[in-house]
Short mmCIF file of all heavy atoms in Angstrom, two decimals:
data_model
loop_
_atom_site.label_atom_id
_atom_site.label_comp_id
_atom_site.label_asym_id
_atom_site.label_seq_id
_atom_site.Cartn_x
_atom_site.Cartn_y
_atom_site.Cartn_z
N LEU A 479 -36.92 -15.25 3.35
CA LEU A 479 -35.50 -15.38 3.64
C LEU A 479 -35.13 -14.63 4.91
O LEU A 479 -35.57 -13.51 5.12
CB LEU A 479 -34.66 -14.84 2.48
CG LEU A 479 -34.86 -15.49 1.12
CD1 LEU A 479 -33.98 -14.80 0.08
CD2 LEU A 479 -34.55 -16.97 1.17
N MET A 480 -34.32 -15.29 5.73
CA MET A 480 -33.80 -14.65 6.94
C MET A 480 -32.32 -14.98 7.05
O MET A 480 -31.93 -16.15 6.96
CB MET A 480 -34.53 -15.13 8.18
CG MET A 480 -34.08 -14.44 9.46
SD MET A 480 -35.10 -14.86 10.87
CE MET A 480 -34.62 -16.54 11.14
N ALA A 481 -31.51 -13.95 7.28
CA ALA A 481 -30.07 -14.13 7.39
C ALA A 481 -29.62 -13.69 8.77
O ALA A 481 -30.15 -12.76 9.36
CB ALA A 481 -29.34 -13.33 6.32
N SER A 482 -28.58 -14.39 9.26
CA SER A 482 -28.02 -14.04 10.55
C SER A 482 -26.51 -14.11 10.49
O SER A 482 -25.93 -14.74 9.60
CB SER A 482 -28.53 -15.01 11.63
OG SER A 482 -28.04 -16.32 11.39
N LEU A 483 -25.87 -13.46 11.47
CA LEU A 483 -24.41 -13.41 11.48
C LEU A 483 -23.91 -13.63 12.91
O LEU A 483 -24.34 -12.93 13.84
CB LEU A 483 -23.91 -12.07 10.96
CG LEU A 483 -22.40 -11.85 10.95
CD1 LEU A 483 -21.69 -12.86 10.07
CD2 LEU A 483 -22.06 -10.43 10.52
N ASP A 484 -22.99 -14.56 13.05
CA ASP A 484 -22.30 -14.79 14.32
C ASP A 484 -20.81 -14.61 14.04
O ASP A 484 -20.15 -15.50 13.52
CB ASP A 484 -22.60 -16.21 14.83
CG ASP A 484 -21.94 -16.52 16.16
OD1 ASP A 484 -21.00 -15.80 16.54
OD2 ASP A 484 -22.35 -17.47 16.83
N THR A 485 -20.30 -13.44 14.37
CA THR A 485 -18.90 -13.14 14.02
C THR A 485 -17.92 -13.93 14.87
O THR A 485 -16.80 -14.19 14.44
CB THR A 485 -18.60 -11.64 14.17
OG1 THR A 485 -18.87 -11.25 15.52
CG2 THR A 485 -19.45 -10.81 13.22
N LYS A 486 -18.35 -14.31 16.06
CA LYS A 486 -17.44 -15.08 16.92
C LYS A 486 -17.25 -16.50 16.39
O LYS A 486 -16.14 -17.04 16.42
CB LYS A 486 -17.97 -15.10 18.35
CG LYS A 486 -17.94 -13.72 19.00
CD LYS A 486 -18.49 -13.74 20.40
CE LYS A 486 -18.48 -12.32 20.98
NZ LYS A 486 -19.09 -12.26 22.32
N ALA A 487 -18.33 -17.06 15.89
CA ALA A 487 -18.25 -18.39 15.29
C ALA A 487 -17.84 -18.32 13.83
O ALA A 487 -17.62 -19.36 13.20
CB ALA A 487 -19.59 -19.10 15.42
N ARG A 488 -17.74 -17.11 13.29
CA ARG A 488 -17.43 -16.90 11.86
C ARG A 488 -18.42 -17.69 11.00
O ARG A 488 -18.04 -18.47 10.11
CB ARG A 488 -15.99 -17.29 11.55
CG ARG A 488 -15.00 -16.45 12.33
CD ARG A 488 -13.59 -16.90 12.12
NE ARG A 488 -12.69 -16.22 13.01
CZ ARG A 488 -11.45 -16.62 13.28
NH1 ARG A 488 -10.98 -17.70 12.71
NH2 ARG A 488 -10.70 -15.93 14.12
N LEU A 489 -19.68 -17.47 11.29
CA LEU A 489 -20.74 -18.24 10.65
C LEU A 489 -21.92 -17.32 10.33
O LEU A 489 -22.34 -16.51 11.16
CB LEU A 489 -21.22 -19.35 11.58
CG LEU A 489 -22.49 -20.10 11.19
CD1 LEU A 489 -22.24 -20.94 9.94
CD2 LEU A 489 -22.97 -20.98 12.34
N SER A 490 -22.41 -17.47 9.11
CA SER A 490 -23.66 -16.81 8.75
C SER A 490 -24.61 -17.87 8.20
O SER A 490 -24.15 -18.86 7.62
CB SER A 490 -23.44 -15.73 7.70
OG SER A 490 -24.65 -15.07 7.37
N THR A 491 -25.89 -17.67 8.42
CA THR A 491 -26.88 -18.59 7.89
C THR A 491 -27.92 -17.83 7.08
O THR A 491 -28.21 -16.65 7.36
CB THR A 491 -27.60 -19.35 9.02
OG1 THR A 491 -28.29 -18.42 9.85
CG2 THR A 491 -26.62 -20.16 9.85
N LEU A 492 -28.43 -18.51 6.08
CA LEU A 492 -29.54 -17.99 5.29
C LEU A 492 -30.65 -19.04 5.38
O LEU A 492 -30.51 -20.15 4.88
CB LEU A 492 -29.12 -17.79 3.83
CG LEU A 492 -30.20 -17.22 2.90
CD1 LEU A 492 -30.57 -15.81 3.29
CD2 LEU A 492 -29.73 -17.26 1.44
N HIS A 493 -31.72 -18.68 6.07
CA HIS A 493 -32.80 -19.62 6.31
C HIS A 493 -33.95 -19.34 5.34
O HIS A 493 -34.35 -18.19 5.17
CB HIS A 493 -33.30 -19.51 7.75
CG HIS A 493 -34.32 -20.54 8.09
ND1 HIS A 493 -33.99 -21.88 8.26
CD2 HIS A 493 -35.66 -20.45 8.27
CE1 HIS A 493 -35.08 -22.55 8.53
NE2 HIS A 493 -36.10 -21.71 8.55
N ILE A 494 -34.43 -20.41 4.75
CA ILE A 494 -35.53 -20.31 3.79
C ILE A 494 -36.76 -20.92 4.44
O ILE A 494 -36.72 -22.07 4.91
CB ILE A 494 -35.19 -21.09 2.51
CG1 ILE A 494 -33.88 -20.56 1.91
CG2 ILE A 494 -36.33 -21.01 1.50
CD1 ILE A 494 -33.13 -21.58 1.07
N THR A 495 -37.82 -20.17 4.47
CA THR A 495 -39.06 -20.64 5.08
C THR A 495 -40.13 -20.85 4.01
O THR A 495 -40.38 -19.96 3.20
CB THR A 495 -39.59 -19.61 6.10
OG1 THR A 495 -38.59 -19.40 7.10
CG2 THR A 495 -40.87 -20.09 6.76
N ALA A 496 -40.73 -22.02 4.02
CA ALA A 496 -41.82 -22.34 3.09
C ALA A 496 -41.45 -21.97 1.66
O ALA A 496 -42.06 -21.09 1.04
CB ALA A 496 -43.11 -21.64 3.52
N ALA A 497 -40.44 -22.64 1.16
CA ALA A 497 -39.87 -22.31 -0.14
C ALA A 497 -40.92 -22.29 -1.25
O ALA A 497 -41.86 -23.09 -1.26
CB ALA A 497 -38.77 -23.29 -0.48
N VAL A 498 -40.70 -21.38 -2.19
CA VAL A 498 -41.50 -21.31 -3.40
C VAL A 498 -40.57 -21.35 -4.60
O VAL A 498 -39.38 -21.06 -4.49
CB VAL A 498 -42.38 -20.04 -3.45
CG1 VAL A 498 -43.46 -20.08 -2.39
CG2 VAL A 498 -41.53 -18.79 -3.32
N HIS A 499 -41.13 -21.71 -5.75
CA HIS A 499 -40.30 -21.90 -6.96
C HIS A 499 -39.48 -20.66 -7.30
O HIS A 499 -38.34 -20.77 -7.76
CB HIS A 499 -41.20 -22.28 -8.14
CG HIS A 499 -40.44 -22.47 -9.41
ND1 HIS A 499 -39.57 -23.54 -9.61
CD2 HIS A 499 -40.38 -21.73 -10.53
CE1 HIS A 499 -39.04 -23.44 -10.81
NE2 HIS A 499 -39.51 -22.35 -11.39
N ASP A 500 -40.04 -19.48 -7.06
CA ASP A 500 -39.36 -18.23 -7.40
C ASP A 500 -38.05 -18.03 -6.64
O ASP A 500 -37.24 -17.18 -7.03
CB ASP A 500 -40.27 -17.01 -7.13
CG ASP A 500 -41.33 -16.86 -8.19
OD1 ASP A 500 -41.28 -17.60 -9.19
OD2 ASP A 500 -42.23 -16.01 -8.01
N LEU A 501 -37.83 -18.79 -5.59
CA LEU A 501 -36.57 -18.67 -4.87
C LEU A 501 -35.44 -19.45 -5.52
O LEU A 501 -34.29 -19.37 -5.09
CB LEU A 501 -36.75 -19.15 -3.42
CG LEU A 501 -37.59 -18.25 -2.52
CD1 LEU A 501 -37.70 -18.85 -1.13
CD2 LEU A 501 -37.01 -16.85 -2.42
N SER A 502 -35.74 -20.22 -6.55
CA SER A 502 -34.71 -20.98 -7.25
C SER A 502 -33.68 -20.01 -7.83
O SER A 502 -34.03 -19.12 -8.62
CB SER A 502 -35.32 -21.83 -8.37
OG SER A 502 -36.21 -22.78 -7.85
N ALA A 503 -32.42 -20.19 -7.44
CA ALA A 503 -31.33 -19.30 -7.85
C ALA A 503 -30.06 -19.81 -7.19
O ALA A 503 -30.08 -20.80 -6.45
CB ALA A 503 -31.59 -17.86 -7.40
N THR A 504 -28.95 -19.12 -7.44
CA THR A 504 -27.71 -19.41 -6.71
C THR A 504 -27.51 -18.30 -5.68
O THR A 504 -27.65 -17.11 -6.00
CB THR A 504 -26.52 -19.47 -7.67
OG1 THR A 504 -26.73 -20.51 -8.63
CG2 THR A 504 -25.23 -19.76 -6.90
N TYR A 505 -27.18 -18.72 -4.47
CA TYR A 505 -27.02 -17.79 -3.36
C TYR A 505 -25.55 -17.77 -2.94
O TYR A 505 -24.94 -18.83 -2.74
CB TYR A 505 -27.90 -18.18 -2.19
CG TYR A 505 -29.37 -18.01 -2.52
CD1 TYR A 505 -30.07 -19.02 -3.19
CD2 TYR A 505 -30.04 -16.84 -2.20
CE1 TYR A 505 -31.40 -18.85 -3.53
CE2 TYR A 505 -31.38 -16.67 -2.53
CZ TYR A 505 -32.04 -17.67 -3.20
OH TYR A 505 -33.37 -17.50 -3.54
N PHE A 506 -25.00 -16.57 -2.82
CA PHE A 506 -23.61 -16.40 -2.43
C PHE A 506 -23.52 -15.63 -1.12
O PHE A 506 -24.23 -14.63 -0.94
CB PHE A 506 -22.85 -15.59 -3.48
CG PHE A 506 -22.67 -16.26 -4.80
CD1 PHE A 506 -23.58 -16.07 -5.83
CD2 PHE A 506 -21.58 -17.09 -5.03
CE1 PHE A 506 -23.41 -16.68 -7.06
CE2 PHE A 506 -21.40 -17.70 -6.26
CZ PHE A 506 -22.31 -17.50 -7.27
N CYS A 507 -22.63 -16.08 -0.25
CA CYS A 507 -22.26 -15.26 0.88
C CYS A 507 -20.89 -14.67 0.61
O CYS A 507 -20.08 -15.24 -0.13
CB CYS A 507 -22.25 -16.05 2.18
SG CYS A 507 -20.99 -17.33 2.28
N ALA A 508 -20.61 -13.50 1.21
CA ALA A 508 -19.36 -12.82 0.92
C ALA A 508 -18.98 -11.92 2.07
O ALA A 508 -19.52 -10.81 2.19
CB ALA A 508 -19.47 -12.02 -0.38
N PRO A 509 -18.07 -12.36 2.93
CA PRO A 509 -17.50 -11.44 3.89
C PRO A 509 -16.38 -10.64 3.24
O PRO A 509 -15.72 -11.15 2.32
CB PRO A 509 -16.93 -12.38 4.97
CG PRO A 509 -16.63 -13.64 4.25
CD PRO A 509 -17.59 -13.73 3.10
N PRO A 510 -16.15 -9.42 3.69
CA PRO A 510 -14.98 -8.69 3.19
C PRO A 510 -13.72 -9.25 3.83
O PRO A 510 -13.74 -9.73 4.97
CB PRO A 510 -15.21 -7.26 3.65
CG PRO A 510 -16.58 -7.23 4.21
CD PRO A 510 -16.96 -8.62 4.58
N GLY A 511 -12.62 -9.19 3.11
CA GLY A 511 -11.36 -9.68 3.65
C GLY A 511 -10.26 -8.67 3.46
O GLY A 511 -10.49 -7.56 3.00
N GLY A 512 -9.06 -9.10 3.81
CA GLY A 512 -7.89 -8.24 3.61
C GLY A 512 -7.94 -6.97 4.42
O GLY A 512 -7.35 -5.95 4.01
N GLY A 513 -8.64 -6.99 5.55
CA GLY A 513 -8.71 -5.81 6.40
C GLY A 513 -9.57 -4.70 5.85
O GLY A 513 -9.54 -3.57 6.35
N SER A 514 -10.34 -5.01 4.83
CA SER A 514 -11.18 -3.97 4.21
C SER A 514 -12.64 -4.22 4.53
O SER A 514 -13.02 -5.28 5.01
CB SER A 514 -10.98 -3.99 2.71
OG SER A 514 -11.70 -5.07 2.14
#
Side-chain angles (χ1 to χ4, degrees):
Chain A
L479 301 178
M480 183 172 71
S482 66
L483 178 61
D484 181 342
T485 59
K486 293 179 182 176
R488 299 175 188 164
L489 170 68
S490 181
T491 62
L492 181 66
H493 186 72
I494 303 154
T495 301
V498 293
H499 179 69
D500 284 353
L501 290 179
S502 297
T504 300
Y505 293 84
F506 293 93
C507 66
S514 78

